[in-house]
Amino acid sequence: MCSDGHVILDEDGDIVNQNGNIVIGSRVWLGLNSKILKGANIGENSVVGANSCIESGLYPPNSYLVGSPAVVKKTCIHWQLENPEHIHLVR
């Protein structure tokens, strides 16, 4: 949501809840029921956990974001499109 869906005015008639752009980088995985609010800028290759709420702010690329409000739980993550059954881990 890029806005609150309504306007809030102060005593002078000025809008106090301005709209804000949302920027979602390339290859960002949004978990089920995640919410992205106005002013959020999510860096590329990031993962947003299910039921997380991303508030206004700059979130770095390759981050794992979780919670409500969301926090950066891990950085420098990488993810793949392949099914995990076909990934062979080297031990």
Side-chain angles (χ1 to χ4, degrees):
M1 295 188 329
C2 293
S3 73
D4 295 331
H6 59 277
V7 174
I8 299 174
L9 304 172
D10 65 13
E11 63 275 0
D12 297 323
D14 296 325
I15 298 173
V16 297
N17 63 333
Q18 296 291 330
N19 296 342
N21 291 330
I22 294 174
V23 177
I24 300 175
S26 299
R27 292 180 41 89
V28 171
W29 179 4
L30 299 176
L32 183 66
N33 294 322
S34 58
K35 295 161 192 69
I36 315 299
L37 303 181
K38 64 182 182 180
N41 186 327
I42 304 171
E44 63 187 13
N45 300 312
S46 292
V47 174
V48 176
N51 299 308
S52 295
C53 182
I54 307 295
E55 295 181 326
S56 177
L58 180 62
Y59 299 89
N62 300 90
S63 295
Y64 178 45
L65 312 169
V66 294
S68 183
V71 295
V72 177
K73 189 72 167 182
K74 288 189 180 243
T75 58
C76 300
I77 67 160
H78 301 280
W79 62 275
Q80 299 180 34
L81 294 174
E82 291 83 16
N83 185 325
E85 294 174 5
H86 303 291
I87 297 173
H88 299 285
L89 300 176
V90 177
R91 295 180 194 241

